[in-house]
Amino acid sequence: MAADLVLTNAVVYTVDKARPWASTLAVGGGKILADEEIGPATEVRDLGGAFVLPGLVDVHNHHAMAGRADLFELTFGADAGFEDILDAVRVRAASLGPDEWLTGGAWASTLVSKLSTVAARRALDDAAGGRPVSLADDSRHNRWVSSRALELAGITAATPDPTGGVIVRDGEEPSGLLLEAAGVLVERVTGELTPEQHRRASQRAIEILHGFGVTAFQDAGVSTDILGALRSLDSAGELTAWVVSSLLVNDPIFGFDPVGAPLLEVAGRYRTEHHRPDFVKIFLDGVPPTRTAAFLEPYLPDDVHGGCHHGSTTMPPDELTEWLLTAAAAGFSAKVHCTGDASVRQFLDAVSRVRAAGFTETRFQVAHGQFVHPDDLPRFAALGVAADVSPFLWVPGVIPDAIAEVLPASRASRMQPNRTLLDSGALVAGGSDWPVSESPNAWEGIAGLVTRSDPHGRRPGALWPEQAITLAEAIEVFTLGGARACGLDDVTGSLTPGRSADFVVLDRNPFETADVAGTRVVETWFAGNRVFQR
């Protein structure tokens, strides 16, 4: 068959071991072709030596949340200080109605102590003019809210901590800081987007992802509203990415409804050509900075938790195993959030039992897994569990700084053992965790994987540099590795004949530059159509 498009004079890195390099790329019928047959209607483009590689795969993001933030919320970076946040709130509040909600984020985890006081909450009240405010932290697990938000949520001094959450108090009075499931009490009263706004949020997020070369992604926790938006976009021919959705089994932070069995029961109605609701998502613990991640060894002592606090998992081992068996029997794979080494071990133990029950093909992912006990590292490959790793958790930055405040230095510095995982034969897949990370720019993550240093040089040093991987390995982590982890390797992840024509044209050859993090996408193509051009 004659090609629709032939790119010539290019440096094509295919991420296909059978033919890793090429100088031409042929596209026909939205797919990669094996040869470059040119017909009368074929468009032939000379790329002048430009670098081409497969469309990037982001195995962990919250695209709809990021799109909503971009379109409808106050946004500020994790480098914003306390007064900076108040200034931003003051400016945004001036454009709102008298009792209109102000939502957004993300404040740095290092501000937890500062925000744990009634004085801080009253400063927020003043900046917002008494309006209800809910601001998420950089992990998106915790909320800082105003007095009016507490009032609308019904949170008083007499309100008990919800299961899996903490209402941080200053004396007896709620401070305004809500950890984990406590934030859901406010999320439920902040108001909902319309179906059209949900659609716009997903569409906007995908536009941003295209600008960074991403043509496939896995959303790590969806609602029926998000599922409906994706179905609507694909039905209209406007979903220009491969999307895998993760259906929430439990929901300690978002406040979505339904979750669990009722959500799994309706998932099939949202399946379309480019959207696969194929995974369940389980939060097995929280995050280290707020001491809600589950560890085998204790946190550093503090006045609230004492010296023997390990954190805890959200469910006992038998319940986790039962959920994984139920999901596997229904045809679902599983992504499980584990940020402490105890939760990782509990998940691996559960997967072992599921494999023994005969579910040998079900895909499993440890989401984040920045801390893994050395004894458990070989189990990833042995059990067929993929490591979903996220940028800014393997280089110096705000989140590692916050973790260093709660864990002994000998443990806090040994985060993201990516080299060991790869050497053991584990599948490693790259996810941005956007908007937890401020940007879904995979090239920053790729540079961090290779150097273990801040890709922009803002912070000195390197985080466990022995765990650095090569550039070729890092590119595979964000292409074919991600596709395999989320079950899209039948259609994308490499420039292999027969797969979708998803590719990017870059402004440089990343193998020949000292500034990998500065790599920019010039064009992004999905299924043979250009969806971004700089």
Side-chain angles (χ1 to χ4, degrees), residues 230-482:
L230 292 168
R231 178 180 62 186
S232 172
L233 287 170
D234 213 14
S235 298
E238 298 173 4
L239 183 57
T240 52
W242 299 101
V243 184
V244 174
S245 288
S246 309
L247 311 166
L248 292 169
V249 164
N250 60 343
D251 178 16
I253 60 174
F254 299 124
F256 293 160
D257 185 37
V259 298
L263 181 58
L264 271 59
E265 289 172 3
V266 301
R269 70 181 64 166
Y270 298 101
R271 182 178 300 278
T272 59
E273 180 183 1
H274 299 113
H275 173 226
R276 302 180 181 186
D278 284 352
F279 275 69
V280 301
K281 168 67 176 294
I282 297 174
F283 285 95
L284 195 53
D285 65 356
V287 292
T290 53
R291 301 174 187 256
T292 52
F295 282 96
L296 297 168
E297 299 295 328
Y299 288 88
L300 290 171
D302 74 342
D303 293 339
V304 175
H305 302 90
C308 298
H309 179 68
H310 294 248
S312 60
T313 56
T314 62
M315 59 183 69
D318 287 348
E319 183 180 354
L320 174 63
T321 301
E322 188 59 33
W323 266 117
L324 296 182
L325 286 168
T326 298
F332 292 104
S333 295
K335 179 190 286 286
V336 178
H337 169 109
C338 307
T339 62
D341 55 8
S343 57
V344 171
R345 177 168 292 179
Q346 181 175 318
F347 176 46
L348 293 173
D349 289 346
V351 171
S352 180
R353 291 191 283 272
V354 175
R355 295 294 191 213
F359 295 101
T360 58
E361 301 301 319
T362 304
R363 287 179 170 85
F364 292 108
Q365 301 173 9
V366 168
H368 308 306
Q370 58 256 54
F371 294 100
V372 184
H373 191 279
D375 292 348
D376 291 322
L377 287 166
R379 301 178 70 196
F380 280 74
L383 292 169
V385 175
D388 153 9
V389 298
S390 300
F392 308 115
L393 296 180
W394 56 68
V395 300
V398 172
I399 291 178
D401 284 353
I403 292 173
E405 294 179 1
V406 300
L407 292 180
S410 60
R411 289 163 55 200
S413 62
R414 296 176 71 82
M415 192 161 30
Q416 296 283 187
N418 303 323
R419 175 77 270 154
T420 302
L421 284 167
L422 282 175
D423 288 346
S424 71
L427 175 60
V428 177
S432 66
D433 203 10
W434 180 53
V436 174
S437 62
E438 294 180 23
S439 165
N441 184 357
W443 290 103
E444 295 176 352
I446 288 169
L449 280 168
V450 173
T451 67
R452 306 286 297 200
S453 302
D454 182 342
H456 298 294
R458 294 166 296 195
R459 292 175 181 264
L463 187 61
W464 204 3
E466 293 84 359
Q467 292 297 327
I469 67 176
T470 69
L471 179 58
E473 289 169 331
I475 289 174
E476 183 165 336
V477 162
F478 275 95
T479 52
L480 189 55

Side-chain angles (χ1 to χ4, degrees), residues 58 60-63 66-67 204-206 208-209 431-440:
D58 185 340
H60 188 133
N61 69 31
H62 300 275
H63 86 286
R204 175 57 182 149
I206 293 169
I208 294 171
L209 289 167
S432 66
D433 203 10
W434 180 53
V436 174
S437 62
E438 294 180 23
S439 165

Side-chain angles (χ1 to χ4, degrees), residues 78 104 112 116 139 223 252 312 363 391 407 448 483 507-508 510 513-514:
V112 165
S116 298
S139 74
S223 65
S312 60
R363 287 179 170 85
L407 292 180
D507 70 344
R508 70 196 70 186
T513 179

Side-chain angles (χ1 to χ4, degrees), residues 95-139:
S95 67
L96 301 178
D99 202 33
E100 188 174 348
W101 274 93
L102 192 162
T103 59
W107 48 269
S109 296
T110 48
L111 290 175
V112 165
S113 296
K114 177 70 175 178
L115 305 184
S116 298
T117 67
V118 170
R121 191 192 76 216
R122 289 174 178 160
L124 180 61
D125 294 341
D126 180 69
R131 293 172 178 82
V133 180
S134 177
L135 302 177
D137 74 332
D138 50 17
S139 74

Side-chain angles (χ1 to χ4, degrees), residues 129-150:
R131 293 172 178 82
V133 180
S134 177
L135 302 177
D137 74 332
D138 50 17
S139 74
R140 305 286 168 161
H141 278 238
N142 309 296
R143 303 289 183 273
W144 181 40
V145 305
S146 66
S147 298
R148 179 60 174 153
L150 291 173

